[in-house]
Amino acid sequence: MTILALPTICALAAAACGGHATSTSPSTGAAASTTAATSPDAAAAAKGGRVPSGDWRQFGDNPQATGVGPSNTGITAANVGRLSLRTIGIDGVADSAPVELHAVRAGRGRHDLVAVTTSYGKTIAFDAGTGRRLWEFDPAGVDSTPGNSQVTTASPVADPDRGYIYSASPNGVIHKLSVATGRQVWSRSITFDPRHEKIASALTISGPWVVAVTGGYYGDAPPYDGHVVLINRGTGRVAHVWNTTCSNRHTIIPASSCSVTASRGDNAIWGRAGAVLEPGSDRILVATGNGPFDGRTDWGDSVLELSADASRLLQSWTPPNQAQLSATDTDLGSSSPAQLPVFHGRRLVVQGGKDGKLHLLDLARLNGSTGGAGPRTGGELDEVSAPGGGEVDPQPAVWSTGGRDYVFAATTAGTAAYELVDGAHPRLTVVWQNGTAGTSPAIAGGLLYVYDPGGSIDIRRPLTGALLRTLPAGSGHWNSPIVVGGRIIEPTGTYHSSAGSSTIDIYHLPGR
Protein backbone atom coordinates (compact mmCIF):
# COMPACT_ATOMS: atom_id res chain seq x y z
CA MET A 1 0.00 0.00 0.00
CA THR A 2 1.29 3.44 -0.95
CA ILE A 3 0.23 6.26 1.37
CA LEU A 4 0.33 9.75 -0.11
CA ALA A 5 -0.45 12.80 1.99
CA LEU A 6 -1.76 15.95 0.35
CA PRO A 7 -0.36 18.89 2.33
CA THR A 8 -2.71 21.38 3.89
CA ILE A 9 -0.26 24.28 3.61
CA CYS A 10 -1.14 26.21 0.48
CA ALA A 11 0.92 28.55 -1.64
CA LEU A 12 -0.49 32.06 -1.79
CA ALA A 13 -2.12 31.95 -5.21
CA ALA A 14 -5.19 34.17 -5.11
CA ALA A 15 -8.22 33.20 -7.16
CA ALA A 16 -11.11 35.32 -8.34
CA CYS A 17 -13.99 36.09 -5.94
CA GLY A 18 -12.02 35.26 -2.82
CA GLY A 19 -11.06 31.61 -3.36
CA HIS A 20 -7.58 30.17 -3.15
CA ALA A 21 -5.96 27.73 -5.58
CA THR A 22 -2.62 26.08 -5.01
CA SER A 23 -0.31 23.70 -6.80
CA THR A 24 2.21 21.62 -4.91
CA SER A 25 4.90 19.08 -5.62
CA PRO A 26 4.58 15.51 -4.35
CA SER A 27 4.86 15.08 -0.60
CA THR A 28 5.83 11.44 -0.90
CA GLY A 29 9.04 9.52 -1.21
CA ALA A 30 10.14 6.64 -3.39
CA ALA A 31 6.77 4.93 -3.70
CA ALA A 32 5.13 7.82 -5.54
CA SER A 33 8.19 8.40 -7.67
CA THR A 34 8.23 4.77 -8.75
CA THR A 35 4.59 4.97 -9.80
CA ALA A 36 5.14 8.14 -11.78
CA ALA A 37 8.29 6.91 -13.50
CA THR A 38 6.53 4.45 -15.77
CA SER A 39 3.97 5.35 -18.40
CA PRO A 40 0.66 3.81 -17.28
CA ASP A 41 -0.11 2.58 -20.76
CA ALA A 42 3.38 1.13 -21.17
CA ALA A 43 3.14 -0.63 -17.82
CA ALA A 44 -0.28 -1.99 -18.69
CA ALA A 45 0.99 -3.22 -22.03
CA ALA A 46 3.86 -4.99 -20.31
CA LYS A 47 1.33 -6.79 -18.12
CA GLY A 48 -0.72 -8.07 -21.01
CA GLY A 49 -2.56 -5.26 -22.74
CA ARG A 50 -3.40 -1.60 -22.81
CA VAL A 51 -5.75 -0.40 -20.07
CA PRO A 52 -8.48 1.74 -21.64
CA SER A 53 -8.83 5.25 -20.29
CA GLY A 54 -11.86 7.50 -20.00
CA ASP A 55 -13.70 10.14 -18.02
CA TRP A 56 -16.22 9.97 -15.17
CA ARG A 57 -17.53 13.52 -15.26
CA GLN A 58 -20.31 13.49 -12.67
CA PHE A 59 -22.24 11.54 -10.08
CA GLY A 60 -23.52 8.36 -11.73
CA ASP A 61 -21.34 9.12 -14.82
CA ASN A 62 -24.18 10.71 -16.82
CA PRO A 63 -27.04 13.21 -16.45
CA GLN A 64 -29.43 10.33 -15.75
CA ALA A 65 -27.17 9.23 -12.85
CA THR A 66 -27.51 5.58 -13.91
CA GLY A 67 -24.31 4.62 -12.13
CA VAL A 68 -23.10 2.85 -15.28
CA GLY A 69 -19.59 3.79 -16.32
CA PRO A 70 -17.26 2.66 -19.12
CA SER A 71 -17.95 -0.75 -20.64
CA ASN A 72 -14.23 -1.53 -20.48
CA THR A 73 -12.16 -0.41 -17.51
CA GLY A 74 -9.36 -2.93 -17.80
CA ILE A 75 -10.55 -4.52 -14.53
CA THR A 76 -12.04 -7.95 -15.10
CA ALA A 77 -13.14 -10.97 -13.10
CA ALA A 78 -9.80 -12.56 -14.05
CA ASN A 79 -7.56 -9.79 -12.71
CA VAL A 80 -9.33 -8.37 -9.64
CA GLY A 81 -6.81 -10.28 -7.54
CA ARG A 82 -4.05 -8.05 -8.93
CA LEU A 83 -5.50 -4.77 -7.68
CA SER A 84 -3.24 -2.83 -5.31
CA LEU A 85 -4.16 -0.04 -2.89
CA ARG A 86 -2.95 3.54 -3.09
CA THR A 87 -4.22 5.72 -0.22
CA ILE A 88 -4.25 9.50 -0.56
CA GLY A 89 -4.73 11.85 2.37
CA ILE A 90 -6.78 15.03 1.98
CA ASP A 91 -7.53 17.93 4.30
CA GLY A 92 -11.25 17.45 4.75
CA VAL A 93 -13.90 14.78 4.25
CA ALA A 94 -15.37 14.05 0.81
CA ASP A 95 -18.73 12.54 1.81
CA SER A 96 -19.75 12.33 -1.83
CA ALA A 97 -18.42 10.95 -5.14
CA PRO A 98 -15.36 12.03 -7.14
CA VAL A 99 -15.04 12.94 -10.80
CA GLU A 100 -12.17 11.97 -13.12
CA LEU A 101 -10.83 13.47 -16.36
CA HIS A 102 -8.29 11.56 -18.41
CA ALA A 103 -5.09 13.23 -19.63
CA VAL A 104 -6.08 16.87 -19.05
CA ARG A 105 -3.64 19.72 -18.64
CA ALA A 106 -3.30 20.72 -14.99
CA GLY A 107 -0.31 22.07 -13.14
CA ARG A 108 2.62 20.88 -15.21
CA GLY A 109 1.79 18.50 -18.03
CA ARG A 110 -1.16 16.16 -18.52
CA HIS A 111 -2.70 14.10 -15.77
CA ASP A 112 -5.55 11.73 -15.04
CA LEU A 113 -7.15 14.29 -12.75
CA VAL A 114 -9.46 13.30 -9.91
CA ALA A 115 -11.43 16.02 -8.12
CA VAL A 116 -13.41 15.79 -4.89
CA THR A 117 -15.32 18.37 -2.87
CA THR A 118 -15.09 18.20 0.91
CA SER A 119 -17.86 18.88 3.40
CA TYR A 120 -16.48 22.40 3.91
CA GLY A 121 -16.41 23.13 0.20
CA LYS A 122 -12.74 22.62 -0.63
CA THR A 123 -12.33 21.17 -4.11
CA ILE A 124 -9.11 19.18 -4.32
CA ALA A 125 -7.58 17.87 -7.55
CA PHE A 126 -4.84 15.24 -7.66
CA ASP A 127 -3.17 12.88 -10.11
CA ALA A 128 -4.84 9.47 -9.90
CA GLY A 129 -1.65 7.63 -10.80
CA THR A 130 0.73 9.29 -8.35
CA GLY A 131 -1.43 10.96 -5.72
CA ARG A 132 0.32 14.27 -6.33
CA ARG A 133 -1.91 17.22 -5.58
CA LEU A 134 -2.43 19.42 -8.61
CA TRP A 135 -4.42 22.21 -6.95
CA GLU A 136 -6.83 22.98 -4.15
CA PHE A 137 -9.62 25.54 -4.14
CA ASP A 138 -10.62 26.88 -0.73
CA PRO A 139 -13.83 28.97 -0.93
CA ALA A 140 -14.07 32.26 0.91
CA GLY A 141 -16.64 32.81 3.61
CA VAL A 142 -16.77 29.23 4.89
CA ASP A 143 -16.16 28.15 8.48
CA SER A 144 -14.04 25.02 8.01
CA THR A 145 -13.45 24.41 11.72
CA PRO A 146 -13.80 20.63 12.21
CA GLY A 147 -17.17 19.91 13.79
CA ASN A 148 -18.92 22.92 12.28
CA SER A 149 -22.36 21.63 11.22
CA GLN A 150 -22.76 23.82 8.12
CA VAL A 151 -21.61 21.47 5.34
CA THR A 152 -22.18 20.27 1.80
CA THR A 153 -22.24 16.72 0.45
CA ALA A 154 -22.62 17.74 -3.19
CA SER A 155 -20.51 15.91 -5.77
CA PRO A 156 -18.86 18.16 -8.37
CA VAL A 157 -19.48 17.99 -12.11
CA ALA A 158 -17.03 18.52 -14.98
CA ASP A 159 -17.90 20.69 -17.95
CA PRO A 160 -18.46 18.82 -21.26
CA ASP A 161 -15.45 20.66 -22.71
CA ARG A 162 -13.33 19.22 -19.84
CA GLY A 163 -11.90 22.65 -19.10
CA TYR A 164 -13.91 23.46 -15.96
CA ILE A 165 -15.29 21.86 -12.83
CA TYR A 166 -18.33 23.14 -10.92
CA SER A 167 -18.54 22.64 -7.18
CA ALA A 168 -20.65 23.69 -4.21
CA SER A 169 -19.72 25.16 -0.83
CA PRO A 170 -21.73 25.19 2.40
CA ASN A 171 -22.28 28.94 2.28
CA GLY A 172 -24.78 28.26 -0.52
CA VAL A 173 -22.48 29.09 -3.43
CA ILE A 174 -21.76 27.33 -6.72
CA HIS A 175 -18.25 27.81 -8.13
CA LYS A 176 -16.82 27.45 -11.64
CA LEU A 177 -13.17 26.37 -11.44
CA SER A 178 -10.46 25.98 -14.05
CA VAL A 179 -9.35 22.37 -14.50
CA ALA A 180 -5.84 23.59 -15.33
CA THR A 181 -5.27 25.75 -12.25
CA GLY A 182 -8.21 25.49 -9.84
CA ARG A 183 -8.75 29.22 -10.13
CA GLN A 184 -12.31 30.44 -9.78
CA VAL A 185 -14.00 31.83 -12.90
CA TRP A 186 -17.26 32.83 -11.24
CA SER A 187 -19.33 32.12 -8.13
CA ARG A 188 -23.09 32.29 -7.61
CA SER A 189 -25.18 32.05 -4.45
CA ILE A 190 -28.36 29.99 -4.77
CA THR A 191 -29.92 30.68 -1.38
CA PHE A 192 -30.67 33.58 0.94
CA ASP A 193 -30.27 31.36 4.01
CA PRO A 194 -27.39 28.85 3.74
CA ARG A 195 -27.63 28.07 7.45
CA HIS A 196 -30.99 26.43 6.82
CA GLU A 197 -30.84 25.53 3.12
CA LYS A 198 -28.21 22.90 2.41
CA ILE A 199 -26.67 21.92 -0.93
CA ALA A 200 -26.64 18.18 -0.33
CA SER A 201 -27.03 16.75 -3.84
CA ALA A 202 -24.74 16.35 -6.83
CA LEU A 203 -24.51 19.05 -9.46
CA THR A 204 -25.30 18.23 -13.08
CA ILE A 205 -25.15 19.96 -16.45
CA SER A 206 -28.02 20.45 -18.90
CA GLY A 207 -27.08 22.19 -22.15
CA PRO A 208 -26.03 25.75 -21.26
CA TRP A 209 -26.85 25.35 -17.56
CA VAL A 210 -25.43 24.00 -14.36
CA VAL A 211 -28.30 22.47 -12.37
CA ALA A 212 -28.21 22.66 -8.57
CA VAL A 213 -30.81 21.88 -5.91
CA THR A 214 -31.30 22.75 -2.26
CA GLY A 215 -32.63 20.94 0.77
CA GLY A 216 -32.53 21.34 4.52
CA TYR A 217 -30.24 20.30 7.34
CA TYR A 218 -30.55 17.26 9.59
CA GLY A 219 -33.60 17.62 11.79
CA ASP A 220 -35.57 19.64 9.21
CA ALA A 221 -34.82 22.91 10.97
CA PRO A 222 -37.03 25.66 9.50
CA PRO A 223 -37.26 27.63 7.40
CA TYR A 224 -36.09 26.16 4.12
CA ASP A 225 -37.51 25.62 0.65
CA GLY A 226 -36.19 22.99 -1.73
CA HIS A 227 -35.59 24.54 -5.12
CA VAL A 228 -34.07 23.80 -8.53
CA VAL A 229 -31.69 26.44 -9.87
CA LEU A 230 -30.33 26.67 -13.42
CA ILE A 231 -27.15 28.73 -13.76
CA ASN A 232 -25.69 29.85 -17.07
CA ARG A 233 -22.36 28.00 -17.43
CA GLY A 234 -20.74 30.87 -19.27
CA THR A 235 -21.79 33.85 -17.19
CA GLY A 236 -22.76 32.43 -13.80
CA ARG A 237 -26.12 34.18 -14.02
CA VAL A 238 -29.17 32.46 -12.51
CA ALA A 239 -31.39 31.67 -15.48
CA HIS A 240 -34.36 29.79 -13.98
CA VAL A 241 -35.68 28.77 -10.56
CA TRP A 242 -38.43 26.36 -9.53
CA ASN A 243 -39.50 26.21 -5.87
CA THR A 244 -41.07 23.14 -4.27
CA THR A 245 -43.12 25.36 -1.98
CA CYS A 246 -44.58 28.60 -3.29
CA SER A 247 -43.98 27.08 -6.73
CA ASN A 248 -45.88 29.98 -8.28
CA ARG A 249 -42.80 32.13 -7.54
CA HIS A 250 -39.96 31.68 -10.01
CA THR A 251 -37.04 33.36 -8.32
CA ILE A 252 -34.83 32.43 -5.39
CA ILE A 253 -36.90 33.44 -2.38
CA PRO A 254 -36.27 33.72 1.36
CA ALA A 255 -37.98 30.61 2.66
CA SER A 256 -39.41 32.65 5.52
CA SER A 257 -41.36 34.71 2.97
CA CYS A 258 -43.40 31.64 2.02
CA SER A 259 -46.01 31.26 4.75
CA VAL A 260 -45.96 27.47 4.50
CA THR A 261 -42.25 27.27 5.33
CA ALA A 262 -42.12 29.98 7.96
CA SER A 263 -42.76 27.62 10.87
CA ARG A 264 -41.16 24.40 9.58
CA GLY A 265 -38.78 22.96 7.03
CA ASP A 266 -40.31 21.92 3.75
CA ASN A 267 -39.90 19.80 0.65
CA ALA A 268 -36.13 19.36 0.49
CA ILE A 269 -34.42 18.01 -2.60
CA TRP A 270 -31.58 16.01 -1.04
CA GLY A 271 -31.16 12.67 -2.85
CA ARG A 272 -27.53 11.89 -3.73
CA ALA A 273 -28.09 12.46 -7.46
CA GLY A 274 -30.15 15.64 -7.08
CA ALA A 275 -31.85 16.60 -10.34
CA VAL A 276 -31.62 14.00 -13.12
CA LEU A 277 -32.32 14.58 -16.81
CA GLU A 278 -34.50 12.59 -19.15
CA PRO A 279 -32.56 11.49 -22.24
CA GLY A 280 -33.62 13.22 -25.44
CA SER A 281 -35.75 15.96 -23.88
CA ASP A 282 -33.56 17.02 -20.90
CA ARG A 283 -36.70 17.33 -18.82
CA ILE A 284 -35.75 17.49 -15.16
CA LEU A 285 -36.80 14.89 -12.59
CA VAL A 286 -36.56 15.49 -8.84
CA ALA A 287 -38.01 13.91 -5.73
CA THR A 288 -38.92 15.87 -2.61
CA GLY A 289 -38.85 15.14 1.09
CA ASN A 290 -41.13 15.97 4.00
CA GLY A 291 -43.43 18.93 3.73
CA PRO A 292 -46.92 20.06 2.74
CA PHE A 293 -48.66 18.92 -0.41
CA ASP A 294 -51.68 20.57 -2.00
CA GLY A 295 -51.16 19.75 -5.69
CA ARG A 296 -51.07 23.44 -6.57
CA THR A 297 -48.06 25.29 -5.10
CA ASP A 298 -46.73 22.89 -2.45
CA TRP A 299 -45.19 19.54 -3.44
CA GLY A 300 -43.98 17.54 -0.46
CA ASP A 301 -43.00 13.84 -0.78
CA SER A 302 -43.51 13.79 -4.54
CA VAL A 303 -41.75 12.92 -7.80
CA LEU A 304 -41.83 15.93 -10.10
CA GLU A 305 -41.15 16.30 -13.82
CA LEU A 306 -40.15 19.83 -14.86
CA SER A 307 -39.60 21.29 -18.30
CA ALA A 308 -35.97 21.38 -19.47
CA ASP A 309 -35.64 25.03 -18.44
CA ALA A 310 -37.36 24.44 -15.07
CA SER A 311 -40.01 27.02 -15.91
CA ARG A 312 -43.00 24.64 -15.72
CA LEU A 313 -44.13 21.65 -13.69
CA LEU A 314 -45.35 19.05 -16.18
CA GLN A 315 -46.28 16.02 -14.08
CA SER A 316 -46.27 14.80 -10.51
CA TRP A 317 -46.58 11.58 -8.55
CA THR A 318 -47.50 11.65 -4.88
CA PRO A 319 -48.12 8.49 -2.85
CA PRO A 320 -51.55 8.17 -1.21
CA ASN A 321 -49.92 8.13 2.24
CA GLN A 322 -48.06 11.41 1.66
CA ALA A 323 -49.36 13.01 4.85
CA GLN A 324 -48.20 10.03 6.90
CA LEU A 325 -44.77 10.04 5.27
CA SER A 326 -44.36 13.72 6.06
CA ALA A 327 -45.57 13.37 9.65
CA THR A 328 -43.23 10.45 10.39
CA ASP A 329 -40.08 11.87 8.72
CA THR A 330 -40.23 9.13 6.08
CA ASP A 331 -38.99 11.19 3.14
CA LEU A 332 -39.92 9.90 -0.29
CA GLY A 333 -37.07 11.98 -1.68
CA SER A 334 -34.19 10.31 0.14
CA SER A 335 -33.02 9.22 -3.32
CA SER A 336 -33.54 10.66 -6.79
CA PRO A 337 -35.65 9.10 -9.58
CA ALA A 338 -33.79 6.25 -11.33
CA GLN A 339 -34.64 6.04 -15.02
CA LEU A 340 -35.00 2.77 -16.89
CA PRO A 341 -34.48 2.35 -20.65
CA VAL A 342 -37.61 2.47 -22.80
CA PHE A 343 -39.46 -0.77 -22.02
CA HIS A 344 -42.07 -1.95 -24.53
CA GLY A 345 -42.59 1.67 -25.52
CA ARG A 346 -42.91 2.91 -21.94
CA ARG A 347 -40.60 5.34 -20.14
CA LEU A 348 -40.31 4.14 -16.56
CA VAL A 349 -38.61 5.37 -13.40
CA VAL A 350 -37.94 3.80 -10.01
CA GLN A 351 -38.25 5.92 -6.87
CA GLY A 352 -36.86 4.76 -3.55
CA GLY A 353 -37.47 6.34 -0.18
CA LYS A 354 -37.21 6.08 3.56
CA ASP A 355 -40.33 3.90 3.46
CA GLY A 356 -38.11 0.97 2.43
CA LYS A 357 -39.79 0.52 -0.95
CA LEU A 358 -38.99 0.90 -4.63
CA HIS A 359 -41.89 2.44 -6.56
CA LEU A 360 -42.17 1.82 -10.32
CA LEU A 361 -43.69 4.78 -12.20
CA ASP A 362 -44.68 5.52 -15.80
CA LEU A 363 -43.39 8.86 -17.08
CA ALA A 364 -46.25 9.09 -19.59
CA ARG A 365 -48.73 9.19 -16.71
CA LEU A 366 -46.93 9.69 -13.43
CA ASN A 367 -50.05 9.89 -11.29
CA GLY A 368 -51.91 7.31 -13.36
CA SER A 369 -53.55 9.88 -15.59
CA THR A 370 -52.58 12.12 -18.49
CA GLY A 371 -53.91 15.21 -16.76
CA GLY A 372 -50.53 16.54 -15.69
CA ALA A 373 -49.45 17.70 -12.25
CA GLY A 374 -52.13 18.19 -9.62
CA PRO A 375 -53.63 17.00 -6.34
CA ARG A 376 -54.28 13.45 -7.53
CA THR A 377 -52.27 10.84 -5.58
CA GLY A 378 -51.29 7.26 -6.38
CA GLY A 379 -50.96 5.75 -9.85
CA GLU A 380 -47.76 3.72 -9.47
CA LEU A 381 -47.34 0.59 -11.58
CA ASP A 382 -45.66 -1.54 -8.92
CA GLU A 383 -43.79 -1.40 -5.64
CA VAL A 384 -41.36 -3.86 -4.07
CA SER A 385 -39.40 -4.00 -0.85
CA ALA A 386 -35.98 -2.37 -0.87
CA PRO A 387 -33.02 -4.56 0.17
CA GLY A 388 -33.65 -5.72 3.72
CA GLY A 389 -36.57 -3.30 3.90
CA GLY A 390 -34.07 -0.52 4.62
CA GLU A 391 -34.23 3.15 3.72
CA VAL A 392 -33.19 3.89 0.14
CA ASP A 393 -30.76 6.73 0.77
CA PRO A 394 -28.20 5.76 -1.91
CA GLN A 395 -29.02 6.16 -5.60
CA PRO A 396 -29.95 2.92 -7.43
CA ALA A 397 -27.98 1.96 -10.53
CA VAL A 398 -29.75 0.97 -13.76
CA TRP A 399 -28.08 -1.35 -16.29
CA SER A 400 -29.18 -3.04 -19.52
CA THR A 401 -27.50 -6.15 -20.89
CA GLY A 402 -28.57 -9.00 -23.13
CA GLY A 403 -31.88 -7.29 -23.87
CA ARG A 404 -32.81 -7.19 -20.18
CA ASP A 405 -33.02 -4.26 -17.76
CA TYR A 406 -31.82 -4.36 -14.16
CA VAL A 407 -31.94 -2.13 -11.09
CA PHE A 408 -29.28 -2.44 -8.38
CA ALA A 409 -30.12 -0.93 -5.01
CA ALA A 410 -28.37 -0.81 -1.65
CA THR A 411 -29.43 0.20 1.84
CA THR A 412 -27.97 -0.07 5.32
CA ALA A 413 -29.67 -3.48 5.44
CA GLY A 414 -28.52 -5.07 2.19
CA THR A 415 -27.89 -5.03 -1.54
CA ALA A 416 -30.15 -6.47 -4.24
CA ALA A 417 -30.62 -6.78 -7.99
CA TYR A 418 -34.05 -6.51 -9.62
CA GLU A 419 -35.10 -7.29 -13.17
CA LEU A 420 -37.80 -5.35 -14.99
CA VAL A 421 -40.30 -7.88 -16.38
CA ASP A 422 -43.63 -7.64 -18.16
CA GLY A 423 -46.96 -9.25 -17.44
CA ALA A 424 -50.28 -7.60 -16.82
CA HIS A 425 -48.09 -4.54 -16.26
CA PRO A 426 -44.34 -3.89 -15.89
CA ARG A 427 -42.96 -4.92 -12.53
CA LEU A 428 -39.70 -5.48 -10.69
CA THR A 429 -38.69 -8.94 -9.52
CA VAL A 430 -35.79 -9.82 -7.24
CA VAL A 431 -32.88 -11.56 -8.99
CA TRP A 432 -30.61 -11.84 -5.95
CA GLN A 433 -30.10 -10.13 -2.63
CA ASN A 434 -27.79 -10.22 0.37
CA GLY A 435 -27.36 -8.58 3.73
CA THR A 436 -24.31 -6.45 2.87
CA ALA A 437 -24.90 -2.73 3.35
CA GLY A 438 -23.97 -0.34 0.57
CA THR A 439 -24.03 3.17 -0.81
CA SER A 440 -24.80 4.08 -4.44
CA PRO A 441 -23.70 1.08 -6.59
CA ALA A 442 -21.59 1.43 -9.73
CA ILE A 443 -21.51 -0.80 -12.81
CA ALA A 444 -18.38 -0.59 -14.94
CA GLY A 445 -16.62 -3.03 -17.23
CA GLY A 446 -19.41 -5.53 -16.67
CA LEU A 447 -18.79 -5.73 -12.90
CA LEU A 448 -20.76 -4.41 -9.92
CA TYR A 449 -19.01 -2.31 -7.27
CA VAL A 450 -20.67 -1.61 -3.92
CA TYR A 451 -19.04 0.34 -1.11
CA ASP A 452 -20.01 -0.77 2.39
CA PRO A 453 -19.50 2.30 4.62
CA GLY A 454 -18.45 -0.07 7.37
CA GLY A 455 -15.14 -0.28 5.51
CA SER A 456 -15.02 -2.40 2.33
CA ILE A 457 -15.72 -2.50 -1.41
CA ASP A 458 -17.38 -5.60 -2.86
CA ILE A 459 -16.80 -6.52 -6.51
CA ARG A 460 -19.54 -8.83 -7.78
CA ARG A 461 -20.92 -10.39 -10.92
CA PRO A 462 -24.02 -8.26 -11.54
CA LEU A 463 -26.37 -10.97 -12.78
CA THR A 464 -25.73 -13.51 -10.03
CA GLY A 465 -24.37 -11.47 -7.16
CA ALA A 466 -21.37 -13.81 -6.94
CA LEU A 467 -18.59 -12.17 -4.94
CA LEU A 468 -15.30 -11.84 -6.80
CA ARG A 469 -13.32 -9.93 -4.19
CA THR A 470 -13.82 -7.79 -1.10
CA LEU A 471 -11.39 -4.90 -0.83
CA PRO A 472 -10.66 -3.33 2.57
CA ALA A 473 -11.40 0.41 2.62
CA GLY A 474 -11.76 3.24 5.07
CA SER A 475 -15.14 3.65 6.73
CA GLY A 476 -17.56 6.27 5.49
CA HIS A 477 -21.14 7.40 5.05
CA TRP A 478 -22.71 8.04 1.61
CA ASN A 479 -19.43 8.15 -0.31
CA SER A 480 -19.58 6.13 -3.52
CA PRO A 481 -16.96 4.76 -5.95
CA ILE A 482 -16.13 5.49 -9.55
CA VAL A 483 -14.35 2.94 -11.74
CA VAL A 484 -12.41 4.06 -14.79
CA GLY A 485 -9.00 3.56 -16.42
CA GLY A 486 -7.97 0.53 -14.39
CA ARG A 487 -8.77 2.22 -11.06
CA ILE A 488 -11.45 2.11 -8.37
CA ILE A 489 -11.56 5.52 -6.67
CA GLU A 490 -13.38 5.66 -3.33
CA PRO A 491 -13.56 8.63 -0.92
CA THR A 492 -13.98 7.73 2.74
CA GLY A 493 -15.05 9.44 5.95
CA THR A 494 -18.32 11.06 7.05
CA TYR A 495 -19.42 14.66 7.40
CA HIS A 496 -20.96 13.70 10.75
CA SER A 497 -17.49 13.39 12.25
CA SER A 498 -15.31 16.23 13.46
CA ALA A 499 -12.32 14.91 11.50
CA GLY A 500 -10.19 17.50 9.74
CA SER A 501 -8.82 14.99 7.25
CA SER A 502 -9.71 11.76 5.46
CA THR A 503 -8.42 9.45 2.75
CA ILE A 504 -9.20 8.54 -0.83
CA ASP A 505 -8.67 4.83 -1.46
CA ILE A 506 -7.57 3.95 -5.01
CA TYR A 507 -7.37 0.30 -5.99
CA HIS A 508 -5.47 0.04 -9.27
CA LEU A 509 -4.07 -2.41 -11.75
CA PRO A 510 -0.28 -2.61 -12.09
CA GLY A 511 1.09 0.58 -13.57
CA ARG A 512 -2.13 2.53 -12.96
Side-chain angles (χ1 to χ4, degrees):
M1 178 179 73
T2 303
I3 300 178
L4 307 174
L6 299 185
T8 59
I9 300 175
C10 300
L12 297 178
C17 304
H20 303 280
T22 66
S23 179
T24 66
S25 58
S27 59
T28 61
S33 298
T34 300
T35 305
T38 304
S39 159
D41 289 334
K47 295 294 183 179
R50 183 185 178 96
V51 175
S53 298
D55 294 344
W56 193 297
R57 295 206 315 257
Q58 65 180 83
F59 182 95
D61 194 42
N62 51 63
Q64 291 75 46
T66 62
V68 178
S71 60
N72 188 351
T73 65
I75 303 173
T76 67
N79 67 16
V80 293
R82 297 170 59 201
L83 292 167
S84 299
L85 175 61
R86 177 183 301 122
T87 299
I88 298 167
I90 63 170
D91 47 329
V93 175
D95 194 345
S96 54
V99 296
E100 192 261 11
L101 295 172
H102 170 63
V104 292
R105 288 198 176 278
R108 298 176 180 176
R110 292 190 178 273
H111 304 269
D112 287 354
L113 180 147
V114 176
V116 294
T117 298
T118 71
S119 55
Y120 295 131
K122 292 181 181 179
T123 298
I124 301 169
F126 58 88
D127 185 299
T130 67
R132 181 167 75 88
R133 187 176 63 177
L134 302 172
W135 51 259
E136 178 172 316
F137 171 76
D138 190 358
V142 174
D143 179 0
S144 58
T145 305
N148 174 35
S149 60
Q150 189 175 355
V151 297
T152 181
T153 52
S155 300
V157 61
D159 198 276
D161 69 8
R162 306 171 80 241
Y164 302 97
I165 287 173
Y166 304 88
S167 66
S169 55
N171 55 347
V173 177
I174 307 300
H175 309 269
K176 180 178 183 177
L177 309 176
S178 165
V179 165
T181 65
R183 292 182 182 274
Q184 182 169 266
V185 178
W186 53 249
S187 65
R188 180 61 57 196
S189 176
I190 62 169
T191 173
F192 286 111
D193 187 1
R195 292 193 176 277
H196 291 96
E197 292 185 342
K198 177 183 177 184
I199 306 176
S201 306
L203 307 180
T204 193
I205 287 176
S206 177
W209 302 305
V210 180
V211 185
V213 298
T214 64
Y217 277 88
Y218 185 80
D220 293 337
Y224 66 83
D225 177 11
H227 48 272
V228 180
V229 182
L230 273 57
I231 306 169
N232 185 286
R233 291 194 285 125
T235 66
R237 182 180 65 86
V238 172
H240 303 282
V241 179
W242 197 86
N243 295 299
T244 60
T245 54
C246 289
S247 65
N248 56 320
R249 300 168 65 182
H250 296 284
T251 60
I252 298 173
I253 61 174
S256 58
S257 71
C258 186
S259 60
V260 178
T261 67
S263 60
R264 53 170 295 168
D266 289 302
N267 303 352
I269 304 173
W270 63 280
R272 295 300 88 201
V276 297
L277 307 184
E278 296 179 30
S281 68
D282 285 344
R283 291 179 177 179
I284 298 169
L285 292 172
V286 295
T288 62
N290 301 324
F293 168 79
D294 62 12
R296 294 185 298 276
T297 59
D298 303 317
W299 304 92
D301 288 298
S302 298
V303 174
L304 307 172
E305 181 188 52
L306 308 177
S307 61
D309 65 359
S311 65
R312 293 178 296 131
L313 175 60
L314 304 176
Q315 292 190 84
S316 63
W317 174 75
T318 307
N321 63 338
Q322 184 275 333
Q324 179 188 10
L325 295 179
S326 182
T328 56
D329 190 33
T330 314
D331 299 58
L332 178 76
S334 61
S335 67
S336 300
Q339 300 175 69
L340 287 151
V342 174
F343 183 76
H344 296 185
R346 305 177 83 159
R347 297 178 300 120
L348 307 177
V349 297
V350 173
Q351 179 62 44
K354 283 188 181 180
D355 61 355
K357 297 176 182 178
L358 296 172
H359 308 270
L360 184 63
L361 312 174
D362 188 339
L363 275 177
R365 41 196 307 129
L366 267 182
N367 62 10
S369 76
T370 57
R376 178 180 176 131
T377 63
E380 63 271 20
L381 296 174
D382 188 30
E383 65 180 30
V384 296
S385 177
E391 296 180 1
V392 187
D393 295 322
Q395 181 67 8
V398 176
W399 187 52
S400 295
T401 184
R404 297 174 181 265
D405 302 318
Y406 298 90
V407 175
F408 300 87
T411 69
T412 56
T415 303
Y418 305 81
E419 183 181 354
L420 180 63
V421 298
D422 207 4
H425 56 79
R427 59 189 177 88
L428 294 170
T429 182
V430 175
V431 178
W432 57 262
Q433 59 183 323
N434 60 47
T436 303
T439 61
S440 304
I443 298 274
L447 300 178
L448 172 67
Y449 298 82
V450 181
Y451 172 61
D452 179 345
S456 63
I457 304 169
D458 280 355
I459 307 176
R460 297 182 180 273
R461 295 187 184 274
L463 300 186
T464 65
L467 181 65
L468 297 172
R469 188 178 176 189
T470 295
L471 306 171
S475 61
H477 182 223
W478 283 330
N479 337 66
S480 53
I482 66 172
V483 186
V484 61
R487 306 180 185 107
I488 307 164
I489 305 169
E490 175 62 67
T492 66
T494 170
Y495 82 89
H496 289 298
S497 76
S498 58
S501 62
S502 65
T503 61
I504 311 292
D505 289 345
I506 300 182
Y507 277 95
H508 60 95
L509 292 175
R512 301 300 291 178

